[in-house]
Amino acid sequence: MRFVGVILFLIYIVVPLAIRFSATVQRHLIFLPFLRYPYDIDLTKPADLGIEGAVSLRIPTESKMELGAWYIPPKTLASKKFEDFPLDSGHPVFVYLHGNSGSRANGHRIELYKLLQELDYHIITFDYRGYADSSPVPITEDTVVTDSHNVIRFVEEKKRRAIAIYLGPFSWNWGRKSCSCGNVSSFKMP
């Protein structure tokens, strides 16, 4: 009976107190970079995952760190080799902000990239700092929003004419996307 009392004390007293007063525990309940699946994927070779024309890249952040990312061209441009990203082709750009676990290489995300590619979107997908092959840092809402801003800035710098930029998908991180969109107006637009 004493064992049951200890277990109940841990579950109903210690765990809630740890969640309430530990920022680290709270952060690990929200952001799940330690759930790394699939495990055996080489993120520098997105074409090996069946994404036609995909290119691995590194996007610099303001804090001298890097975000691991992929550029996936529209289907009509997928067979060409690129020196630079042809974001001036007139096709819309889809910036994929993934959820709180895994990486840009998760199976359901790969299927979405293929669908968007078939619909002739340019796709930029990346992992936030602390996830996958991006620079390791403790993750906070601020770092996630800053990373989103850095990617949007990267896209803005690469495009040479006005094209539509979409952020997606709908997920638990919609608040972060809204925060990112709310601050986009401060970016220099051509």
Side-chain angles (χ1 to χ4, degrees):
M1 191 64 163
R2 184 177 179 143
F3 177 74
V4 172
V6 170
I7 296 297
L8 291 174
F9 176 76
L10 289 173
I11 291 172
Y12 291 105
I13 304 296
V14 175
V15 171
L17 287 174
I19 292 170
R20 171 66 178 97
F21 294 108
S22 173
T24 302
V25 170
Q26 292 172 9
R27 189 170 37 248
H28 280 84
L29 289 173
I30 296 171
F31 302 107
L32 307 170
F34 52 87
L35 295 179
R36 297 177 189 253
Y37 55 91
Y39 294 105
D40 57 347
I41 299 293
D42 183 357
L43 292 170
T44 63
K45 298 177 181 174
D48 290 354
L49 299 171
I51 307 170
E52 189 179 352
V55 178
S56 180
L57 57 121
R58 307 295 291 173
I59 298 175
T61 67
E62 295 164 351
S63 58
K64 308 269 189 266
M65 295 190 175
E66 292 183 321
L67 303 174
W70 293 340
Y71 164 69
I72 304 167
K75 187 71 167 176
T76 55
L77 302 175
S79 61
K80 299 178 181 174
K81 296 288 181 195
F82 301 110
E83 294 291 321
D84 199 9
F85 306 101
L87 296 183
D88 59 347
S89 67
H91 297 84
V93 177
F94 193 93
V95 177
Y96 185 90
L97 306 170
H98 74 66
N100 65 332
S101 67
S103 73
R104 62 190 182 275
N106 284 43
H108 66 287
R109 293 177 182 142
I110 299 289
E111 294 307 312
L112 178 61
Y113 307 150
K114 290 177 182 179
L115 174 66
L116 291 169
Q117 187 178 45
E118 287 290 326
L119 295 172
D120 254 6
Y121 283 88
H122 293 279
I123 305 153
I124 302 288
T125 182
F126 68 100
D127 287 310
Y128 307 105
R129 287 176 288 169
Y131 284 85
D133 63 343
S134 294
S135 297
V137 297
I139 304 164
T140 65
E141 182 180 352
D142 290 338
T143 60
V144 170
V145 170
T146 300
D147 291 347
S148 301
H149 288 174
N150 285 315
V151 172
I152 294 167
R153 240 183 231 109
F154 175 82
V155 170
E156 286 295 326
E157 290 169 2
K158 294 292 181 183
K159 71 179 190 144
R160 293 182 186 90
R161 66 181 197 189
I163 52 173
I165 299 175
Y166 300 98
L167 301 179
F170 294 98
S171 171
W172 73 277
N173 62 4
W174 184 246
R176 293 180 306 181
K177 291 177 194 137
S178 298
C179 187
S180 296
C181 291
N183 295 321
V184 166
S185 62
S186 65
F187 295 159
K188 181 181 176 185
M189 301 290 184

